[in-house]
């Protein structure tokens, strides 16, 4: 159950893949435990060759039934070891995923701050551009007014010059 709880905290693609394995390991362990418990309940003379069709090996003193239970127990231990290794790998992957997630969150915070500063600078730039447009519009009207005034002054000077020439040459 602890491995399943650990897997619930991992990413979905990884979780689904390993959840099947964990359940299979758990069923293998439960089956091996039932078989071992069943062996513990049998009488001692069955284990030592006193009945039940078991044979006693004269070379090493182990009955075939006892040998079978030992091999099942070893397989159960191997399954437990593989499950433990899988759990260790899952923890490593979870830790790596957690570290990557933390880094992404930090990066997003930094990018959010950058976007906020950029938005503020754009707002300031827009305000400055608006002021500049108003100043340029005012300058344009001033230039236009100055041109009209300059034209009027030139016309007056030409009129004065024309009047002076007329009075000097045509009046005498």
């Amino acid at each position: 159950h602890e491995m399943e709880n650990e897997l619930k905290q991992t990413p979905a693609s990884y979780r689904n893949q390993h959840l099947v394995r964990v359940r299979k390991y758990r069923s293998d362990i439960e089956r091996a435990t039932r078989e071992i418990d069943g062996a513990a309940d049998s009488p001692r003379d069955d284990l030592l060759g006193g009945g039940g069709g078991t044979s006693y090996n004269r070379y090493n003193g182990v009955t075939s039934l006892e040998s079978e239970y030992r091999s099942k127990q070893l397989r159960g231990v191997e399954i437990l070891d593989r499950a433990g290794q899988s759990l260790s790998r899952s923890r490593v992957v979870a830790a790596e995923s957690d570290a990557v997630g933390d880094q992404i969150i930090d990066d997003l915070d930094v990018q959010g701050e950058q976007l906020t500063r950029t938005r503020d600078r754009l707002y300031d730039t827009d305000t400055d551009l608006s002021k500049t447009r108003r100043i340029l519009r005012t300058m344009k009207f001033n230039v236009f007014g100055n041109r009209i005034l300059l034209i009027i002054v030139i016309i007056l000077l030409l009129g004065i010059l024309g009047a002076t020439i007329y009075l000097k040459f045509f009046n005498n």
Side-chain angles (χ1 to χ4, degrees), residues 3 38 42 46 65 80 83-84 86 90 97-98 102 112 115 123 149 154 164 167:
M3 287 192 290
S42 66
D46 284 346
L65 184 61
L80 277 173
S86 176
S90 298
S97 298
D98 192 36
D102 288 345
L115 287 172
Y123 179 76
L149 186 62
I154 289 173
T164 307
L167 290 176

Side-chain angles (χ1 to χ4, degrees), residues 117-127:
R117 286 193 304 270
T118 303
R119 184 192 64 216
D120 292 344
R121 274 190 245 135
L122 283 174
Y123 179 76
D124 292 344
T125 303
D126 186 46
T127 303

Side-chain angles (χ1 to χ4, degrees), residues 1 3 13 18-19 24 27-28 37 49 66 72 75 80 103 113-114 130 151:
H1 293 291
M3 287 192 290
S13 61
H18 290 285
L19 196 56
K24 183 183 180 304
S27 68
D28 289 345
D37 288 344
E66 187 176 336
K72 286 183 180 180
R75 280 193 307 239
L80 277 173
Q103 183 62 40
E113 291 170 5
Q114 289 173 343
S130 296
I151 289 172

